[in-house]
Amino acid sequence: MYRHIVVLTGAGISAESGIRTFRDQDGLWEEHHIEDVATPEGYERDPELVERFYNLRWEQLKSTDVKANPAHEALAQLEAEFDGDFLLVTQNVDDLHERGGSQRLIHMHGELNKGRCPRSRQTFLLREPFGPDNVCTCCIPPQRLRPHIVWFGEMPFGMDRIHDALERCDLFIAIGTSGTVYPAAGFVDIANHHGAQTVEVNLAAPDRHSQFQWHLTGKAGDIVPRLVKAVLQGKSLCSLADVLQETD
Ligand code: APR
């Protein structure tokens, strides 16, 4: 049925794994001002504060009770078994897609478990928390590694590849994202414009501005495995009436 699938995930797909989202009730932004911890200016102003914010999230990611959930695993199955083009794009900086078995994905907002040399832009797997002594090995003198995170005002990664895939796709699935941050929030418009079927999976009911043709209300961990199974069986979204609630 489908030949080219693009999947976009947001913090909601990791919520059932114990990773806090940004804008839900006890979201990450409730405790911090975005401009203080997620902008180049904030880092310039107070690198220690920004390092503390990311070191805390990196520690949380390493705790043993944070595991990939059935939604991550279902997307890995889709990547492995779907015989058409498949691209997974995540806004998440955790490595739960990889822990769930995904191998080919684009972390468009960067990765929590990596540091980046500010001069060469070379990335390094994080082996210790960010700090004045955590420096690159590619420069003389060595440079203090910065979080390999795309901050507000910086260009997300992989945009050319993502745009190409969106223009070719016949199915676009967004999972666990509030659709409030561009350019990711605009991906559905590109997919719709190029004739794809578009569906979003979200715990919250769709708002009236939703551009998605279909909306699945519920937990990603419950819905994504059923959606992946149906897509792999060659079913179209229309034939999934029992699973889909069409946006009115
Ligand atoms: N299953 C499905 N959806 C869920 C679940 C769940 N278990 N839990 C929460 N959600 C939904 C919420 O209803 C919300 O729409 O996930 C979405 C999370 O939204 P945000 O917290 O805004 O996260 P996200 O959309 O990924 O944010 C995008 O904003 O701050 C930047 O860089 C940051 O990548 C992030 C970007």
Side-chain angles (χ1 to χ4, degrees):
M1 174 66 208
Y2 299 109
R3 298 300 309 147
H4 307 271
I5 299 179
V6 176
V7 175
L8 170 71
T9 61
I13 198 171
S14 296
E16 292 158 69
S17 296
I19 303 265
R20 292 165 68 181
T21 65
F22 291 92
R23 295 171 183 83
D24 283 331
Q25 223 47 14
D26 60 349
L28 278 164
W29 293 146
E30 293 221 321
E31 286 165 17
H32 297 278
H33 294 293
I34 288 182
E35 55 278 8
D36 291 340
V37 291
T39 61
E41 298 75 17
Y43 182 64
E44 197 67 38
R45 202 171 37 246
D46 187 347
E48 284 74 22
L49 170 69
V50 175
E51 287 172 344
R52 266 200 311 280
F53 179 65
Y54 288 100
N55 285 339
L56 203 67
R57 292 175 64 195
W58 180 56
E59 287 303 329
Q60 189 205 28
L61 195 52
K62 291 194 302 176
S63 79
T64 47
D65 50 6
V66 168
K67 293 184 180 58
N69 67 54
H72 296 108
E73 289 157 357
L75 292 179
Q77 183 194 2
L78 187 58
E79 173 188 324
E81 297 176 18
F82 179 61
D83 61 3
D85 287 337
F86 175 77
L87 179 65
L88 171 58
V89 180
T90 186
Q91 300 172 91
N92 299 340
V93 294
D94 62 54
D95 60 346
L96 292 178
H97 279 301
E98 290 86 345
R99 294 192 210 181
S102 290
Q103 294 176 9
R104 286 177 290 119
L105 66 155
I106 295 178
H107 279 277
M108 64 180 288
H109 288 168
E111 297 174 76
L112 204 47
N113 56 11
K114 288 182 181 167
R116 188 166 84 232
C117 169
R119 180 179 294 167
S120 72
R121 295 183 64 79
Q122 191 176 325
T123 58
F124 298 83
L125 208 52
L126 219 47
R127 300 201 187 288
E128 59 183 294
F130 289 107
D133 303 332
N134 194 351
V135 294
C136 76
T137 54
C138 51
C139 302
I140 298 174
Q143 302 294 308
R144 184 176 187 156
L145 290 183
R146 60 156 276 182
H148 180 49
I149 299 289
V150 177
W151 286 327
F152 288 90
E154 296 183 324
M155 178 55 86
F157 299 120
M159 291 309 295
D160 291 346
R161 242 182 94 201
I162 295 169
H163 270 267
D164 286 350
L166 287 169
E167 287 169 4
R168 264 202 328 272
C169 79
D170 47 18
L171 178 61
F172 176 64
I173 306 172
I175 303 166
T177 180
S178 59
T180 45
V181 173
Y182 284 82
F187 290 173
V188 62
D189 300 324
I190 301 171
N192 278 333
H193 179 71
H194 285 84
Q197 291 195 339
T198 55
V199 56
E200 77 167 332
V201 177
N202 201 299
L203 196 55
D207 68 30
R208 59 194 170 81
H209 305 299
S210 173
Q211 299 298 309
F212 286 88
Q213 298 154 29
W214 301 85
H215 185 97
L216 287 157
T217 306
K219 286 187 168 183
D222 300 339
I223 292 182
V224 176
R226 290 158 59 199
L227 182 57
V228 163
K229 183 161 169 267
V231 168
L232 288 175
Q233 287 169 343
K235 288 186 180 168
S236 72
L237 290 180
C238 318
S239 66
L240 293 176
D242 55 324
V243 179
L244 300 171
Q245 292 102 35
E246 188 171 350
T247 42
D248 45 31

